Amino acid sequence: LLDPKGNNSSEVLMTAAASLASVATKDCKLLAPVISGLLSVICNLLGQVSSGPTKVAVEDLLGACLGIKAGAEDAFAYFNTLEVDAAVKKQVSLSLLKKVGARSA
């Protein structure tokens, strides 16, 4: 789904991320049935995208899924209650959530 020209951009991913983020921003608990799998996909994407608008959109989606509107600390506390893969735990940090929270403030 990423642009094969290597510019780390994808309109499809950005649109999908924005749509999911819109739902998650209203009530992140709506994603509870699929949150573990969704976080796994998000973290996989973050590992493939080094910069650019797609990375920002995916990071913002991550924050929305974890309830960033309540604050980075609360989002991280919620994340720590989830059963997720070790790879996901490695990628999600309080500093990442603070960065996302500052962008959405």
Side-chain angles (χ1 to χ4, degrees):
L1 291 173
L2 290 174
D3 185 349
K5 295 175 185 161
N7 67 3
N8 287 327
S9 184
S10 170
E11 289 297 321
V12 173
L13 283 176
M14 289 174 26
T15 301
S19 295
L20 278 171
S22 176
V23 170
T25 299
K26 289 178 185 165
D27 185 0
C28 67
K29 304 297 186 211
L30 292 172
L31 299 175
V34 296
I35 193 73
S36 293
L38 183 56
L39 290 175
S40 185
V41 169
I42 290 169
C43 287
N44 187 16
L45 284 169
L46 286 174
Q48 295 179 33
V49 181
S50 60
S51 64
T54 301
K55 181 171 180 118
V56 171
V58 174
E59 287 177 346
D60 289 348
L61 173 58
L62 172 71
C65 288
L66 296 175
I68 196 71
K69 71 180 180 181
E73 288 81 8
D74 288 345
F76 194 62
Y78 173 57
F79 171 72
N80 284 326
T81 68
L82 301 173
E83 291 185 28
V84 294
D85 295 337
V88 174
K89 286 205 179 268
K90 204 177 211 184
Q91 283 235 314
V92 178
S93 66
L94 182 56
S95 62
L96 173 61
L97 292 173
K98 283 183 178 182
K99 179 174 77 170
V100 171
R103 230 184 356 247
S104 65

